[in-house]
Amino acid sequence: MRLIIKNGRVIDPAVKQDSLADILIQDGKIVKVMQGMEEAADCQIDARGCFVMPGFIDLHVHLRDPGFERKETVATGAAAAARGGFTTIVAMPNTKPVVDNADVVSYVHNKAKSVTKVNVLQAGAITRKMEGTQLSDIEKMVQAGSPAISEDGKSVMNSYVLQEAMKIAQKLDIPVLSHCEDKDLVNGGVVNADDNAKKRELPGITNSVENVIAMRDVQLAMETGAKLHLCHCSTKESVDIVRMAKEMGKTIVTAEVCPHHFTLTSDDMVPGDTNYKMNPPLRTREDVLALRQGLKEDIMDVIATDHAPHTRDEKNDSMLRAPFGIVGLETAAALTYTELVLSGCLTPMQMAEKMSYNPAKVLGIDKGSLQPGKPADIVIFDPEKTYRIDASLFASKSRNTPFQGREVTGAVRMTIAGGEIIYQAE
């Protein structure tokens, strides 16, 4: 099948292209990129007025499958990804059973291939059952297709165990996706430790909960030579830690920021609304400004969602008991464009870098570019469309978002994966 995308503003971070051009696609690959193309095709797509970017890549998604399919499945999570412009997603291993062996990796990959064209990559757990004591069989999981290891949802508190895992990751040339949370310092906290927590008489989570582990993991990565990627950074100190690590240059350290952390502060929380309960928590205005500056200066490399679906019943509880997490696949692009691009913090090129090109580099996969010969994973994004977020329209099985009703600008018009249209806005 031959497709032509006509008249779009092609934004390709791989070669710094930002210009009007047409794209010819055949047999799942990009064949040609040029202006004024005259080619016969089975399908012609008019992208006039839209950005045409490499398909987004999310390094941080919870699909809840296997074991928690009441929250999300591979199929519904992938459908949410497609609706959000994501053509590749990395699933976290905190499922039931935990993804700590090659069989569970294969289960997720095989299921994904049977239900979606979205490229679903399953990260392997660092330790068995994510208990933090014995290493998983990392090499076999990588052989089964795991692109990375992670203990997301908790930190490996035993530094020696993590160090050994990093040595293996270095030999296998895969990144370690680090959830930075000192579980002892959390001490029952549920929201950011600030005046808002005091007013509501809720136990707080300090910045040091994140910062202590971030600094430790950077140090271990420098000693082992492992590639380290810091997940869902939320504090101003995390930006400083990443900057310091990059300046020292002893290993590859990258970092991600989630849309909720660069958009909302703890002041925005609605009392009693557990859709504002996430881990790490919403921080202060000072932290948000530091995260935005870190993204602007390219200290923070990636925008990821930490898509964390929960059922309505689970979230319909107190702030003390409800689970942490919000869904994010279907709101990330609009929030990034509205909050960062329209504000002048990022350019459209940087948006494409942080949502596609840089995540591909972290994983070491041949994606994130629109050059001829590359996989035809493409998102067509309308930068003019203004609307209010409506969770009832989500493809995700869950609706736990603090952004319900929020006005945003920018919408995914079409998602193409492997040369096939997998989502098209009505």
Side-chain angles (χ1 to χ4, degrees), residues 232-272:
H232 49 45
C233 294
S234 70
T235 70
K236 60 183 185 295
E237 293 88 0
S238 281
V239 179
D240 293 333
I241 291 168
V242 175
R243 180 185 287 108
M244 174 204 69
K246 289 186 172 183
E247 288 173 351
M248 294 181 71
K250 292 184 178 180
T251 190
I252 296 175
V253 176
T254 55
E256 73 190 29
V257 182
C258 301
H260 45 276
H261 286 132
F262 65 62
T263 299
L264 300 173
T265 74
S266 61
D267 292 336
D268 295 312
M269 294 181 67
V270 176

Side-chain angles (χ1 to χ4, degrees), residues 36-191:
M37 192 184 302
E38 297 294 338
E39 296 274 356
D42 301 294
C43 178
Q44 182 168 300
I45 300 161
D46 187 358
R48 193 181 309 272
C50 292
F51 298 161
V52 181
M53 299 184 281
F56 300 143
I57 299 171
D58 194 343
L59 297 182
H60 195 159
V61 173
H62 297 271
L63 291 180
R64 309 300 192 198
D65 190 351
F68 302 104
E69 290 88 349
R70 68 184 184 278
K71 303 170 187 269
E72 195 79 283
T73 65
V74 171
T76 59
R83 192 171 181 271
F86 292 93
T87 54
T88 298
I89 57 177
V90 178
M92 293 297 104
N94 57 337
T95 51
K96 187 177 182 180
V98 167
V99 185
D100 61 2
N101 61 79
D103 288 342
V104 189
V105 173
S106 296
Y107 160 82
V108 175
H109 286 172
N110 291 337
K111 187 169 185 180
K113 288 173 184 175
S114 71
V115 300
T116 182
K117 294 296 182 180
V118 172
N119 188 28
V120 177
L121 302 176
Q122 178 61 63
I126 295 173
T127 66
R128 295 181 186 178
K129 298 183 180 180
M130 292 180 65
E131 292 177 345
T133 53
Q134 292 181 297
L135 289 180
S136 302
D137 193 335
I138 297 170
E139 186 169 359
K140 285 187 178 178
M141 289 191 294
V142 171
Q143 291 171 354
S146 284
I149 53 174
S150 181
E151 205 91 335
D152 190 67
K154 59 177 72 173
S155 294
V156 179
M157 291 302 296
N158 186 313
S159 298
Y160 174 76
V161 171
L162 180 60
Q163 183 183 55
E164 293 303 297
M166 284 188 173
K167 289 177 182 178
I168 296 170
Q170 191 275 332
K171 290 178 182 177
L172 297 174
D173 195 28
I174 59 167
V176 178
L177 312 181
S178 179
H179 172 101
C180 297
E181 179 186 25
D182 188 313
K183 67 179 183 181
D184 297 317
L185 287 175
V186 173
N187 195 31
V190 296
V191 295

Side-chain angles (χ1 to χ4, degrees), residues 56 84 259 262-263 328-342 351 355 381 385 387 389 407-412:
F56 300 143
F262 65 62
T263 299
L329 284 166
E330 296 168 79
T331 56
L335 290 168
T336 298
Y337 187 73
T338 302
E339 296 296 324
L340 300 182
V341 178
L342 288 182
M351 175 179 173
M355 296 191 73
F381 183 81
K385 184 174 177 60
Y387 60 99
I389 292 171
E407 185 171 282
V408 290
T409 299
V412 173

Side-chain angles (χ1 to χ4, degrees), residues 308-325:
H310 295 291
T311 67
R312 186 184 300 274
D313 287 344
E314 287 170 321
K315 275 293 193 177
N316 190 24
D317 206 335
S318 70
M319 288 295 287
L320 289 173
R321 292 188 297 269
F324 292 100

